[in-house]
Amino acid sequence: MATNNFYFLLLSLCNVVLALSESPVSCYKIEPGTVAGIISVDIILTLLIVAVTYHCARNQQQRATKVEKVYMNVRAKCKT
């Protein structure tokens, strides 16, 4: 049932796009410098997100190994 609804929605959207593309509407012109700026900012933000994610994951992993070392030392002291 959901698949049929999806196909109906997809077909409807295709028809709307086709109807809009045939209408005489003028397009907004974007300068090449603007497009280059948008792409540059997108790349910088993507690299920033990757760097922050890597930094947070690395800190979490270091904390987890420190906890395991402390736990292992406590167990060794308790056995003696």
Side-chain angles (χ1 to χ4, degrees), residues 5-76:
N5 290 337
F6 174 74
Y7 288 131
F8 177 73
L9 179 65
L10 186 62
L11 183 63
S12 298
L13 287 175
C14 289
N15 287 336
V16 168
V17 169
L18 183 62
L20 289 176
S21 66
E22 292 176 357
S23 64
V25 177
S26 62
C27 295
Y28 182 75
K29 183 177 180 182
I30 299 177
E31 297 294 324
T34 305
V35 173
I38 291 171
I39 292 171
S40 300
V41 170
D42 182 40
I43 291 171
I44 291 169
L45 286 175
T46 301
L47 292 175
L48 181 68
I49 291 169
V50 168
V52 168
T53 304
Y54 174 76
H55 178 71
C56 291
R58 186 179 60 175
N59 284 343
Q60 179 116 8
Q61 184 181 14
Q62 287 175 351
R63 277 190 246 141
T65 56
K66 286 180 184 177
V67 168
E68 288 176 6
K69 287 180 184 177
V70 170
Y71 179 70
M72 294 300 279
N73 289 338
V74 170
R75 285 184 63 195

